[in-house]
Amino acid sequence: MISWQLLTFEHLTTTQLYQLLKLRVDVFVVEQTCPYPELDEKDCFRHVHHLLGYVNGELIAYARLLPQNTGYPSVSIGRVATAKTHRGSGLGHTLIKKAITESHRLWPSEDIEIGAQAHLENYYKQHGFERTSDTYLEDGIPHIDMKLSQKR
Protein backbone atom coordinates (compact mmCIF):
# COMPACT_ATOMS: atom_id res chain seq x y z
CA MET A 1 0.00 0.00 0.00
CA ILE A 2 1.40 3.37 -0.99
CA SER A 3 1.39 6.17 1.53
CA TRP A 4 1.11 9.55 -0.23
CA GLN A 5 2.28 12.91 1.03
CA LEU A 6 1.80 16.27 -0.67
CA LEU A 7 4.10 18.94 0.73
CA THR A 8 5.40 22.37 -0.13
CA PHE A 9 9.15 22.94 0.04
CA GLU A 10 9.09 24.49 3.51
CA HIS A 11 7.27 21.44 4.87
CA LEU A 12 9.72 18.86 3.51
CA THR A 13 12.08 17.36 6.05
CA THR A 14 15.75 17.24 5.14
CA THR A 15 15.37 13.47 4.77
CA GLN A 16 12.43 13.84 2.35
CA LEU A 17 14.32 16.46 0.36
CA TYR A 18 17.35 14.19 0.11
CA GLN A 19 15.17 11.23 -0.91
CA LEU A 20 13.33 13.10 -3.65
CA LEU A 21 16.50 14.65 -5.06
CA LYS A 22 18.25 11.27 -5.02
CA LEU A 23 15.35 9.59 -6.83
CA ARG A 24 15.24 12.33 -9.46
CA VAL A 25 19.01 12.25 -10.02
CA ASP A 26 19.02 8.44 -10.14
CA VAL A 27 16.31 8.46 -12.83
CA PHE A 28 16.95 11.57 -14.90
CA VAL A 29 20.72 11.99 -14.65
CA VAL A 30 22.20 8.53 -13.96
CA GLU A 31 19.78 6.13 -15.72
CA GLN A 32 19.25 8.40 -18.69
CA THR A 33 22.92 9.44 -18.76
CA CYS A 34 21.81 13.02 -19.13
CA PRO A 35 23.70 15.68 -17.22
CA TYR A 36 21.36 18.63 -16.88
CA PRO A 37 20.49 21.24 -14.22
CA GLU A 38 18.28 19.07 -12.00
CA LEU A 39 18.19 21.77 -9.34
CA ASP A 40 16.28 24.39 -11.31
CA GLU A 41 15.14 26.51 -8.34
CA LYS A 42 11.45 25.73 -8.98
CA ASP A 43 11.35 23.24 -6.10
CA CYS A 44 11.23 26.03 -3.55
CA PHE A 45 8.85 28.39 -5.39
CA ARG A 46 5.73 29.40 -3.53
CA HIS A 47 2.77 27.06 -4.16
CA VAL A 48 4.89 24.31 -5.77
CA HIS A 49 3.93 20.95 -4.26
CA HIS A 50 5.92 17.74 -4.02
CA LEU A 51 3.97 14.49 -4.31
CA LEU A 52 5.80 11.68 -2.55
CA GLY A 53 4.78 8.01 -2.59
CA TYR A 54 6.23 5.71 0.07
CA VAL A 55 6.17 1.98 0.71
CA ASN A 56 7.68 0.81 3.99
CA GLY A 57 9.50 4.12 4.41
CA GLU A 58 11.10 3.98 0.93
CA LEU A 59 10.33 6.77 -1.55
CA ILE A 60 9.23 4.93 -4.69
CA ALA A 61 7.25 7.58 -6.59
CA TYR A 62 7.54 11.33 -7.02
CA ALA A 63 6.04 14.18 -9.04
CA ARG A 64 6.31 17.95 -8.80
CA LEU A 65 3.10 19.97 -9.14
CA LEU A 66 3.54 23.54 -10.31
CA PRO A 67 1.02 26.40 -10.36
CA GLN A 68 0.30 28.47 -13.45
CA ASN A 69 3.19 30.42 -14.95
CA THR A 70 5.86 28.45 -13.13
CA GLY A 71 6.85 26.14 -15.98
CA TYR A 72 3.97 26.65 -18.40
CA PRO A 73 1.10 29.14 -18.72
CA SER A 74 -1.12 26.42 -17.19
CA VAL A 75 -0.66 24.27 -14.12
CA SER A 76 1.99 21.64 -14.80
CA ILE A 77 3.27 18.31 -13.56
CA GLY A 78 6.93 17.51 -13.86
CA ARG A 79 9.86 15.45 -12.61
CA VAL A 80 7.62 12.36 -12.68
CA ALA A 81 9.77 9.50 -11.41
CA THR A 82 9.41 5.98 -10.07
CA ALA A 83 12.08 3.89 -8.41
CA LYS A 84 13.63 1.37 -10.80
CA THR A 85 12.90 -1.44 -8.33
CA HIS A 86 9.13 -0.79 -8.53
CA ARG A 87 8.61 -0.37 -12.27
CA GLY A 88 6.36 -2.67 -14.28
CA SER A 89 3.72 -2.84 -11.55
CA GLY A 90 1.51 0.01 -12.75
CA LEU A 91 3.04 2.40 -10.22
CA GLY A 92 3.64 5.05 -12.90
CA HIS A 93 -0.04 5.10 -13.83
CA THR A 94 -1.00 5.31 -10.16
CA LEU A 95 1.41 8.22 -9.74
CA ILE A 96 0.05 10.13 -12.75
CA LYS A 97 -3.55 9.62 -11.62
CA LYS A 98 -2.66 10.87 -8.13
CA ALA A 99 -0.75 13.86 -9.55
CA ILE A 100 -3.72 14.81 -11.75
CA THR A 101 -6.17 14.41 -8.85
CA GLU A 102 -4.04 16.56 -6.53
CA SER A 103 -3.48 19.20 -9.22
CA HIS A 104 -7.24 19.45 -9.77
CA ARG A 105 -7.78 19.68 -6.02
CA LEU A 106 -5.18 22.45 -5.64
CA TRP A 107 -6.13 24.33 -8.82
CA PRO A 108 -9.72 23.45 -9.80
CA SER A 109 -10.79 23.96 -13.40
CA GLU A 110 -7.22 24.53 -14.62
CA ASP A 111 -5.66 22.77 -17.60
CA ILE A 112 -2.50 20.78 -16.94
CA GLU A 113 0.52 20.95 -19.25
CA ILE A 114 3.55 18.71 -19.33
CA GLY A 115 6.80 18.43 -21.23
CA ALA A 116 6.91 14.70 -21.92
CA GLN A 117 9.67 12.61 -23.37
CA ALA A 118 8.41 11.91 -26.89
CA HIS A 119 8.49 8.13 -26.49
CA LEU A 120 5.95 8.45 -23.65
CA GLU A 121 3.27 10.18 -25.75
CA ASN A 122 0.91 7.17 -25.79
CA TYR A 123 1.46 6.62 -22.07
CA TYR A 124 0.27 10.14 -21.26
CA LYS A 125 -2.56 9.89 -23.82
CA GLN A 126 -3.98 7.10 -21.65
CA HIS A 127 -4.50 9.77 -18.99
CA GLY A 128 -6.20 12.27 -21.31
CA PHE A 129 -3.21 14.36 -22.38
CA GLU A 130 -3.06 15.54 -26.00
CA ARG A 131 0.03 16.59 -27.91
CA THR A 132 0.34 20.36 -28.41
CA SER A 133 3.78 20.79 -29.98
CA ASP A 134 6.23 19.44 -32.48
CA THR A 135 9.07 17.33 -31.15
CA TYR A 136 11.94 19.35 -29.69
CA LEU A 137 15.20 18.48 -27.97
CA GLU A 138 15.55 19.18 -24.27
CA ASP A 139 18.90 18.22 -22.80
CA GLY A 140 19.50 16.01 -25.84
CA ILE A 141 16.26 14.02 -25.37
CA PRO A 142 13.27 14.35 -27.75
CA HIS A 143 10.30 15.93 -25.93
CA ILE A 144 6.79 17.10 -26.75
CA ASP A 145 4.40 19.39 -24.93
CA MET A 146 1.06 17.90 -23.95
CA LYS A 147 -2.06 19.27 -22.30
CA LEU A 148 -4.91 17.81 -20.26
CA SER A 149 -7.76 20.20 -20.92
CA GLN A 150 -10.56 20.79 -18.42
CA LYS A 151 -12.85 21.59 -21.35
CA ARG A 152 -13.15 17.94 -22.41
Side-chain angles (χ1 to χ4, degrees), residues 1 4 6 14 16 23 45 55 61 73 79 95 113 130 149:
M1 178 91 168
W4 295 102
L6 185 66
T14 53
Q16 290 168 320
L23 178 59
F45 283 3
V55 169
R79 299 297 201 267
L95 173 60
E113 293 184 79
E130 294 296 328
S149 177

Side-chain angles (χ1 to χ4, degrees), residues 51-114:
L51 179 61
L52 306 128
Y54 288 92
V55 169
N56 298 323
E58 177 190 0
L59 181 65
I60 62 165
Y62 172 83
R64 184 169 71 178
L65 314 181
L66 301 107
Q68 288 180 306
N69 301 313
T70 306
Y72 288 90
S74 301
V75 166
S76 62
I77 298 171
R79 299 297 201 267
V80 177
T82 59
K84 191 174 189 176
T85 55
H86 288 79
R87 292 189 196 140
S89 65
L91 174 62
H93 289 289
T94 301
L95 173 60
I96 292 299
K97 288 176 189 172
K98 183 71 173 171
I100 291 168
T101 297
E102 292 297 338
S103 293
H104 287 161
R105 186 181 63 75
L106 290 166
W107 304 291
S109 305
E110 296 294 333
D111 294 343
I112 300 171
E113 293 184 79
I114 60 172

Side-chain angles (χ1 to χ4, degrees), residues 133-145:
S133 76
D134 291 332
T135 303
Y136 59 91
L137 284 181
E138 184 172 308
D139 302 312
I141 298 173
H143 278 72
I144 56 171
D145 290 333

